């Protein structure tokens, strides 16, 4: 009977530790559509409200890079608020180069990664959950 109780307690403790595991999410956004971008920022806010310790990185590539440029971004305030809450804003250098956009035009809160897909794959290898923004 004592062994059975010990086994039960160990299962409870194992389950509790699983619940406290920190979530890590890497979001990919390629769309330049402001509707998709608005949804992305709402989802990020919802996640951080429900689970403030969640680690989040958003990888902007393709047409979405215009959202993180100093002179063209429509959601600068949402990006700044997300950044203040610990969200990493990553921008694909290949997307910048293919459009002849200087790195100097990228907002200072963003980090530039060489290749968006490799950044996302690396995060997945590290155990991050992958979400594609639509």
């Amino acid at each position: 009977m004592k062994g059975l109780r010990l086994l039960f307690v160990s299962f409870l403790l194992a389950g509790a530790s699983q619940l406290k595991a920190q979530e890590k999410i890497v979001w990919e956004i390629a769309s330049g559509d402001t509707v998709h971008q608005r949804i992305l920022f709402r989802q990020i806010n919802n996640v951080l409200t429900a689970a403030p310790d969640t680690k989040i990185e958003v990888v902007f590539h393709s047409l979405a890079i215009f959202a993180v440029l100093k002179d063209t971004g429509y959601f600068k305030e949402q990006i700044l608020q997300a950044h203040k809450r610990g969200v990493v804003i990553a921008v694909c250098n290949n997307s910048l180069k293919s459009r002849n956009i200087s790195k100097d035009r990228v907002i200072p809160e963003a980090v530039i990664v060489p290749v968006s897909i490799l950044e996302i794959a690396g995060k997945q290898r590290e155990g991050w959950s992958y979400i594609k923004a639509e």
Side-chain angles (χ1 to χ4, degrees):
M1 188 68 153
K2 187 176 180 180
L4 194 54
R5 272 190 242 154
L6 184 58
L7 183 62
F8 179 70
V9 169
S10 66
F11 278 125
L12 285 177
L13 291 175
S17 67
Q18 293 281 332
L19 292 175
K20 292 183 180 183
Q22 184 181 42
E23 291 292 335
K24 298 178 292 186
I25 302 170
V26 59
W27 248 289
E28 172 193 8
I29 184 157
S31 175
D33 188 330
T34 57
V35 171
H36 295 159
Q37 293 171 7
R38 179 178 287 112
I39 291 168
L40 167 70
F41 292 115
R42 187 176 59 229
Q43 290 173 338
I44 289 170
N45 187 55
N46 290 344
V47 168
L48 291 175
T49 298
D53 293 335
T54 303
K55 289 175 116 180
I56 296 175
E57 179 172 330
V58 182
V59 181
F60 290 80
H61 69 100
S62 190
L63 294 176
I65 63 169
F66 290 100
V68 293
L69 300 181
K70 294 173 187 172
D71 54 345
T72 60
Y74 187 76
F75 292 102
K76 285 188 181 110
E77 186 58 36
Q78 289 86 339
I79 290 172
L80 293 176
Q81 289 304 316
H83 179 71
K84 286 178 185 174
R85 295 178 80 181
V87 175
V88 174
I89 306 297
V91 182
C92 176
N93 192 47
N94 277 351
S95 293
L96 293 171
K97 286 198 293 192
S98 71
R99 290 164 179 77
N100 295 316
I101 297 173
S102 167
K103 292 179 185 181
D104 295 339
R105 287 182 58 196
V106 175
I107 60 172
E109 294 79 13
V111 297
I112 298 173
V113 298
V115 181
S116 60
I117 301 306
L118 292 177
E119 178 71 9
I120 293 164
K123 292 294 182 191
Q124 287 182 292
R125 214 175 20 263
E126 295 169 8
W128 290 55
S129 299
Y130 165 77
I131 306 292
K132 180 168 178 58
E134 296 289 349

